[in-house]
Amino acid sequence: MLDDDPVEILTLLHPGVTKPHVDHAARASWLAAVHEAMRSVGGAVVAAAEEPAVGRNYYRVSVEARDGVAGVILFNAAALLVAAAEAANPQEITMVFVAVPGSEVFSERGFQVASQADLNEPLSERHLQALAADERRDVAYHCPSRLGDLLFNWFD
């Protein structure tokens, strides 16, 4: 599956994007898109969606592909950004990002879809410029190495 037109990730970086952001309307729309996307690729949602919380700034839901491969669909509500990762122990902080299954469904519903390449891009000063001072302090403390680790983070 090819990625849709690439998202200019820098445009999504703004104050608050690294903080847990609960948005019930966006969550409902994202979750409906997750179900539709998984149906479109012959997969299934296999667990209830988890809300952002201290230690995780994003929503996540476990999915399974047609071939039985498990994964998670991630949603940063502050950026309306969707990503996917391999299933891992929930306590792991470093994710292996993968292509978003059924990515066109998310794009059609107005979500931005993050590419693996963007999420794996090494974090640099240019990524931090638009963030609030407390977010830059979190970055200095937690030392995420990739842009994806900033946008889908474990900061406490």
Side-chain angles (χ1 to χ4, degrees):
M1 168 177 48
L2 296 175
D3 286 343
D4 290 332
D5 293 333
V7 173
E8 179 50 53
I9 292 287
L10 283 176
T11 65
L12 302 178
L13 296 171
H14 56 78
V17 75
T18 71
K19 301 292 185 186
H21 181 76
V22 175
D23 182 327
H24 298 293
R27 175 199 181 274
S29 183
W30 164 74
L31 197 51
V34 169
H35 283 274
E36 182 179 337
M38 292 312 297
R39 282 192 304 272
S40 78
V41 298
V45 175
V46 296
E50 297 175 49
E51 303 280 321
V54 172
R56 189 180 68 252
N57 76 321
Y58 54 90
Y59 292 89
R60 70 179 171 200
V61 66
S62 296
V63 297
E64 189 172 288
R66 178 186 331 200
D67 61 5
V69 174
V72 290
I73 306 291
L74 314 170
F75 177 53
N76 179 318
L80 295 179
L81 183 66
V82 177
E86 291 179 357
N89 178 332
Q91 304 309 313
E92 290 291 322
I93 59 174
T94 303
M95 292 184 272
V96 176
F97 294 108
V98 298
V100 175
S103 63
E104 61 283 345
V105 172
F106 297 100
S107 296
E108 289 168 2
R109 291 183 177 225
F111 296 103
Q112 302 295 327
V113 178
S115 72
Q116 289 173 270
D118 280 340
L119 294 172
N120 286 314
E121 184 178 330
L123 196 60
S124 70
E125 185 59 36
R126 71 185 176 105
H127 296 124
L128 308 179
Q129 292 173 354
L131 302 180
D134 66 325
E135 291 174 291
R136 289 192 300 275
R137 283 191 297 274
D138 283 342
V139 169
Y141 180 78
H142 291 286
C143 301
S145 61
R146 305 172 298 169
L147 182 54
D149 299 327
L150 176 70
L151 290 165
F152 299 95
N153 71 57
W154 61 92
F155 304 165
D156 51 9

